[in-house]
Amino acid sequence: MTHAFKPDASRALSLLTACPAYKPSPLTSHMLQGRSLLIKDETNRMGLGAFKALGGVYAVARLIEAEVSHSIAPEAFLDNAVKDVASGMTFVCASAGNHGMAVAAGARLFGAKARIHLAHTVPEDFAMRLKDKGADVVRSGDDYEASVAAAIADADSSGATHLADGSWPGYTEPPRLVMEGYTVIAEEMRQSLEASGTWPTHVYLQAGVGGLAAAVASVIRETWTVQPKIIVVEPVAAPCLKESAAAGRILTVEGPVSDMGRLDCKTPSMLALEVLQDYADAWVTISDAQAAEAVKQAESLGIPTSASGAAGLCACLMENAESPLVILSEGAVQS
């Protein structure tokens, strides 16, 4: 199988390891409802509270490198010569919160600017956190899709660099870099599992546009010694990957607004869909009420998370997997 997205976790890990805020996130074993499961805890990734820190920071660095026009050693990204180039760059994106935080943090770290478009439904807490990271925040439209359209128009008119985490025909390189950053999660897990010799039978991957799920699935299929069953988890209100995979093409689905705000995406990433059509074994949808119950279960383990963050755990608890692994993808979110 040949995909436009080819994982290069070692390349991403070498750069992010040089970032002052980087350290591997925990992979720990827990007993819950009478069975053992592995949890990859992304709730405090790089101090930003979500896995998306990896993708946004990494992609900003690589796009600055492209502007410099020559390879930069990982330890040299914070040099003044690189920051001088970055200071003339502005990164624009739409976000439901966490991707914008990562882009804003990356822009600040490397000396660039960021402008983030948020739908009116995104909590004001996210807007304030973005502003605290030095980003300009623009309220654009009533849903995520409208804010994406606004970010595209902004980049086209201003000359800023559009850094989305979703891809579509004619727009693949920035989201490919974002996904490459996410591969670090699967590589960290591979190293831990190789050391312990204990491998999961099932891996549950929550998905919005699908970047995390596709990045992790790619590394699993390419590098893991023992192959698990991969299950993609989406909100009932936004099964864009499941429906698109069944149709064999990108579809935009309709549905109400979900409480799983970071997963409430109605159109999938083209790159992610291509990967997951080949690598996913099953597709599961969950309700807001089911996700809320999974949040309580995560809290019982001492890991505060959100409905989006607990979506994989939710699907896991609905099934009887022998030795499951889930990712808690973000910390508890203030509304």
Side-chain angles (χ1 to χ4, degrees):
M1 289 170 284
T2 301
H3 300 135
F5 176 71
K6 296 292 291 182
D8 192 344
S10 60
R11 179 174 184 255
L13 188 59
S14 67
L15 192 156
L16 286 166
T17 300
C19 179
Y22 172 80
K23 63 178 180 179
S25 65
L27 177 64
T28 51
S29 179
H30 300 264
M31 290 298 298
L32 186 62
Q33 296 185 351
R35 58 181 167 148
S36 176
L37 75 157
L38 291 166
I39 293 179
K40 182 67 166 170
D41 180 3
E42 295 290 312
T43 61
N44 194 35
R45 174 65 80 170
M46 294 174 70
L48 296 180
F51 77 95
K52 288 198 172 184
L54 294 167
V57 171
Y58 179 76
V60 165
R62 289 300 181 201
L63 290 168
I64 291 170
E65 183 179 48
E67 189 73 12
V68 172
S69 298
H70 61 76
S71 296
I72 302 172
E75 64 276 8
F77 273 89
L78 300 180
D79 289 353
N80 287 336
V82 177
K83 285 190 171 184
D84 286 344
V85 173
S87 66
M89 300 179 70
T90 298
F91 292 90
V92 171
C93 71
S95 180
N98 290 323
H99 176 62
M101 283 291 294
V103 171
R108 169 176 275 189
L109 176 65
F110 300 117
K113 303 177 185 66
R115 186 162 56 251
I116 316 299
H117 290 261
L118 302 180
H120 296 298
T121 51
V122 175
E124 183 60 22
D125 174 69
F126 270 123
M128 296 306 298
R129 289 170 61 198
L130 288 165
K131 291 174 183 177
D132 288 344
K133 291 293 181 186
D136 293 328
V137 175
V138 182
R139 290 287 184 174
S140 300
D142 294 329
D143 55 25
Y144 177 73
E145 287 68 30
S147 63
V148 170
I152 293 170
D154 181 342
D156 287 344
S157 63
S158 68
T161 300
H162 184 213
L163 179 46
D165 57 353
S167 59
W168 46 85
Y171 181 80
T172 59
E173 182 57 12
R176 186 193 69 77
L177 291 170
V178 171
M179 287 172 61
E180 190 163 277
Y182 298 159
T183 63
V184 167
I185 296 169
E187 174 59 15
E188 289 175 353
M189 291 192 292
R190 186 197 66 77
Q191 292 178 9
S192 294
L193 296 168
E194 288 277 9
S196 69
T198 302
W199 295 85
T201 58
H202 297 67
V203 176
Y204 293 82
L205 301 172
Q206 54 266 59
V209 297
L212 170 66
V216 172
S218 290
V219 176
I220 288 174
R221 293 294 184 240
E222 296 276 342
T223 70
W224 283 23
T225 303
V226 178
Q227 287 293 303
K229 184 176 181 180
I230 294 176
I231 302 96
V232 177
V233 185
E234 298 177 281
V236 168
C240 65
L241 284 156
K242 179 181 179 182
E243 296 298 327
S244 296
R249 60 187 176 88
I250 293 175
L251 296 178
T252 296
V253 300
E254 295 183 358
V257 174
S258 171
D259 291 343
M260 288 170 273
R262 265 64 62 204
L263 306 183
D264 190 14
C265 304
K266 310 302 189 189
T267 305
S269 164
M270 181 181 72
L271 291 176
L273 176 63
E274 182 185 73
V275 168
L276 292 171
Q277 283 183 123
D278 287 335
Y279 289 162
D281 295 296
W283 310 81
V284 175
T285 57
I286 60 174
S287 70
D288 287 351
Q290 289 169 325
E293 179 58 32
V295 170
K296 294 178 183 177
Q297 295 295 328
E299 289 174 348
S300 74
L301 299 175
I303 310 176
T305 187
S306 69
S308 298
L313 175 63
C314 176
C316 170
L317 295 176
M318 291 164 54
E319 301 185 345
N320 293 313
E322 177 185 344
S323 181
L325 183 154
V326 303
I327 299 172
L328 294 183
S329 57
E330 67 176 12
V333 176
Q334 300 296 318
S335 59

